[in-house]
Amino acid sequence: MNPCNFTHTTFILIGLPGLEAAQFWIAFPLLFMYVVALLGNCTVVFIVRTEHSLHAPMYLFLCMLAAIDLVLSTFTMPKILALFWFNSQEITFDMCLTQMFFIHALSATESTVLLAMAFDRYVAICHPLRHAAILTNTVTAQIGIVAVVRGSLFFFPLPLLLKRLHFCGSNILTHSYCVHQDMMKLAHADTMPNVIYGLTAILLVMGVDSVFILLSYVLIIKTVLSIASPEERHKAFSTCISHIGAVAIFYIPLISLCFVHRFGKRAPPYVHTLMANVYLLIPPVMNPIIYSVKTKQIRKAIHKVLLPKGSQI
């Protein structure tokens, strides 16, 4: 490998290769989704904070999830919209590192919160008499702090690992935002430490979380099936529907994006970019909708706070 005596100070983000003429109009649905995400998650945070009856672990975890989605979408969508509308492709190296860190760290934090929500459902269904003693509001807050610290610690080394590399070849990224694997591929140096650490961090966070979420639901299903009354079985399992939806819309786009990167080399370039944008946008948009539709307590609280007295749901 030829010696590299300088490194780029900026990177170039791309929109939708092959669909440049349509990017301006595609940005409008993205803007609509961003506004829905902002309104929906702000509403969830406001409702949970102001409605005392929702100061319970399940809803406090939901509030954390909404806050994470707010920050994550705000760190990415304005730049994506500027790219699609104004062809604002340049992003400084340090800003790219910052965006990359927050994307990975917040995704890891969201994964941890989803695991905590699965644990909450497991205790509520399998050990209902101990639920209030195990998951107090103090413990719930501590879990939230651990989720943030865990996500930050696991992915803080990524910017440092990239900082040591030189980028003197192409500086054109293949996404509309900065992620570790995309930046790493442009490095003019040995990236094996980046590959090993990046894979290890993902496996130890998202991989471990997904295994324990699955285990929680195996135990939940086992307990629910042992309940004699069909009505009680339905009532118990219905409390998990919203969380199952949140897990699905987080992990399915993530797994799909990994498959596209691994096996979709012959797919048009815009497919990779679209999938990457879907991965970032779908959870913030869908989580508040799913919980508002499927959770009676959330609907009641929204009705109480936002709608006139005497209206019906």
Side-chain angles (χ1 to χ4, degrees), residues 35-292:
V35 171
V36 170
L38 289 180
L39 292 177
N41 287 292
C42 283
T43 300
V44 169
V45 171
F46 176 76
I47 291 295
V48 173
R49 286 195 61 184
T50 57
E51 185 59 36
H52 185 73
S53 64
L54 297 181
H55 290 180
M58 183 171 75
Y59 306 111
L60 293 175
F61 286 135
L62 174 59
C63 186
M64 296 176 198
L65 204 64
I68 293 167
D69 286 339
L70 273 173
V71 178
L72 183 58
S73 56
T74 300
F75 251 95
T76 53
M77 280 311 300
K79 182 61 179 177
I80 293 175
L81 292 172
L83 169 63
F84 279 32
W85 273 333
F86 310 113
N87 201 33
S88 177
Q89 294 182 288
E90 284 196 356
I91 183 170
T92 64
F93 180 66
D94 289 336
M95 183 57 69
C96 202
L97 288 178
T98 302
Q99 188 186 65
M100 179 213 69
F101 167 72
F102 275 99
I103 288 173
H104 289 297
L106 289 170
S107 296
T109 304
E110 183 159 346
S111 177
T112 306
V113 172
L114 288 172
L115 172 59
M117 296 173 83
F119 177 68
D120 170 69
R121 290 299 85 207
Y122 162 73
V123 176
I125 292 174
C126 301
H127 305 283
L129 299 180
R130 300 173 58 191
H131 181 263
I134 294 174
L135 279 168
T136 63
N137 287 351
T138 300
V139 170
T140 301
Q142 291 171 343
I143 291 174
I145 294 171
V146 169
V148 173
V149 172
R150 181 184 185 228
S152 301
L153 288 180
F154 266 99
F155 289 95
F156 182 74
L158 293 186
L160 302 181
L161 287 170
L162 286 172
K163 271 277 192 181
R164 70 183 181 86
L165 303 176
H166 288 282
F167 298 86
C168 54
S170 172
N171 65 337
I172 301 175
L173 300 171
T174 59
H175 287 352
S176 303
Y177 53 86
C178 301
V179 288
H180 175 250
Q181 59 269 32
D182 203 11
M183 298 176 67
M184 178 186 67
K185 291 176 183 177
L186 300 180
H188 195 83
D190 178 23
T191 58
M192 187 54 65
N194 298 67
V195 173
I196 293 173
Y197 186 82
L199 181 60
T200 301
I202 290 175
L203 289 177
L204 289 179
V205 179
M206 282 76 159
V208 169
D209 290 352
S210 60
V211 169
F212 278 105
I213 289 172
L214 180 61
L215 177 61
S216 297
Y217 274 100
V218 169
L219 297 175
I220 288 171
I221 291 172
K222 182 179 177 181
T223 300
V224 170
L225 292 179
S226 68
I227 300 175
S229 168
E231 292 78 11
E232 289 299 318
R233 287 202 300 267
H234 179 267
K235 182 180 179 181
F237 196 68
S238 64
T239 63
C240 302
I241 296 300
S242 298
H243 178 252
I244 292 173
V247 170
I249 64 174
F250 177 81
Y251 281 102
I252 290 177
L254 175 62
I255 294 170
S256 300
L257 183 60
C258 292
F259 269 93
V260 167
H261 279 300
R262 180 64 182 85
F263 302 108
K265 300 187 185 300
R266 295 185 179 180
Y270 63 80
V271 171
H272 296 258
T273 309
L274 276 176
M275 285 299 301
N277 291 338
V278 165
Y279 162 66
L280 276 187
L281 264 178
I282 291 300
V285 171
M286 293 303 300
N287 278 336
I289 295 175
I290 289 174
Y291 274 92
S292 297

